[in-house]
Amino acid sequence: MKLSTENLEKVFRTELVETVALNGVSINVNDGEFVAIMGPSGCGKSTLLNILGLLDNPSAGSYKIDDVEVGALKERERTAYRRGKIGFVFQSFNLIEEMTVEENIALPLTYLKYSSAERKKMVEEVMLSLNIAHRAKHFPNQLSGGQQQRVAIARAVVTKPGLILADEPTGNLDSKNGSDVMAILSELNRQGTTIVMVTHSKRDAKYANRVINLFDGLVVDTLEDCM
């Protein structure tokens, strides 16, 4: 999946304050690329990721996915567009505590037109590939942090999306589990999935093909060939 933004702006307004989160951001992410977005807290990284994931609209500027303008879509249209096409991995895992591992992973499939047999097969395949099939009937609070993030990744990729957006995916993990998660993301990228990752970690950024640095809502530089 290919992404491009041109002069992207995002302004948050209240009655008393206007905050410019993004100020003319223009980037390109090629199909099958692994890009890391870095910068200090409050520089606009997560705001940009939310717009790239169609969780929010820009205040101004253009955002295209595969050369189709999507920046002005209404909320319902954004939801329909990203369904099955974009997977999300968050720092806090965002698993539903009342659901088992396999139920959490199957959740995105319930909104798509797969039969129950197809859903079962897809969930089993992704659990096996991420080495969590033995935890299928467990609940999130019965898992380690590393296992929970594997479940979150499985949920993100079970629909075989063309794009994965990761927001500090190793932020709540120790170094061993963090390295395991980055290895999983790298393998998904090698298989052709486009990945955009927000991170503070220089170690994690080395897994990317390219680093985009933000500062005060602006792109300040781009570094290539990080590996």
Side-chain angles (χ1 to χ4, degrees):
M1 191 175 286
K2 181 173 68 172
L3 315 177
S4 66
T5 72
E6 186 173 355
N7 295 323
L8 208 65
E9 297 180 10
K10 184 62 181 181
V11 180
F12 296 99
R13 293 182 177 89
T14 66
E15 290 183 2
L16 301 175
V17 179
E18 179 177 285
T19 302
V20 179
L22 298 175
N23 187 13
V25 171
S26 298
I27 64 169
N28 290 288
V29 178
N30 296 320
D31 187 27
E33 195 174 13
F34 189 156
V35 172
I37 299 174
M38 300 189 74
S41 296
C43 72
K45 301 185 303 296
S46 292
T47 299
L48 177 58
L49 204 70
N50 285 340
I51 291 173
L52 296 180
L54 298 177
L55 298 176
D56 199 2
N57 279 344
S59 303
S62 169
Y63 173 36
K64 294 180 180 180
I65 298 178
D66 291 334
D67 298 321
V68 176
E69 178 61 53
V70 295
L73 293 179
K74 295 185 168 126
E75 183 175 358
R76 183 175 296 180
E77 294 170 327
R78 295 200 312 268
T79 299
Y81 195 97
R82 69 174 178 261
R83 189 168 287 164
K85 298 178 183 176
I86 303 175
F88 297 88
V89 179
F90 302 98
Q91 176 179 347
S92 57
F93 317 138
N94 286 4
L95 301 177
I96 298 175
E97 294 293 334
E98 295 77 18
M99 288 185 170
T100 64
V101 164
E102 60 185 358
E103 289 170 341
N104 266 283
I105 296 170
L107 194 58
L109 298 174
T110 61
Y111 302 107
L112 302 171
K113 295 179 180 179
Y114 291 105
S115 68
S116 58
E118 287 174 321
R119 292 197 302 269
K120 187 174 187 297
K121 181 181 178 184
M122 293 168 76
V123 170
E124 287 176 349
E125 286 177 351
V126 76
M127 287 194 300
L128 285 170
S129 70
L130 292 174
N131 195 29
I132 50 174
H134 61 298
R135 299 292 190 183
K137 302 298 183 183
H138 289 222
F139 292 90
N141 63 8
Q142 297 174 306
L143 306 177
S144 68
Q147 289 168 337
Q148 288 188 61
Q149 193 61 298
R150 283 175 181 264
V151 175
I153 292 172
R155 181 184 58 191
V157 304
V158 70
T159 61
K160 297 181 173 59
L163 171 67
I164 292 177
L165 301 175
D167 194 353
E168 300 284 0
T170 69
N172 284 336
L173 303 177
D174 59 33
S175 59
K176 169 63 169 62
N177 281 307
S179 295
D180 289 346
V181 164
M182 291 310 303
I184 291 168
L185 292 176
S186 291
E187 179 57 29
L188 289 167
N189 178 244
R190 279 191 290 270
Q191 293 171 10
T193 306
T194 303
I195 297 179
V196 179
M197 173 182 69
V198 161
T199 183
H200 282 103
S201 169
K202 292 182 179 178
R203 182 190 62 189
D204 290 355
K206 288 180 179 178
Y207 287 85
N209 308 123
R210 185 160 54 99
V211 175
I212 296 172
N213 283 292
L214 292 185
F215 187 79
D216 286 349
L218 293 163
V219 175
V220 291
D221 59 46
T222 299
L223 305 176
E224 297 189 16
D225 299 324
C226 302
M227 292 293 285

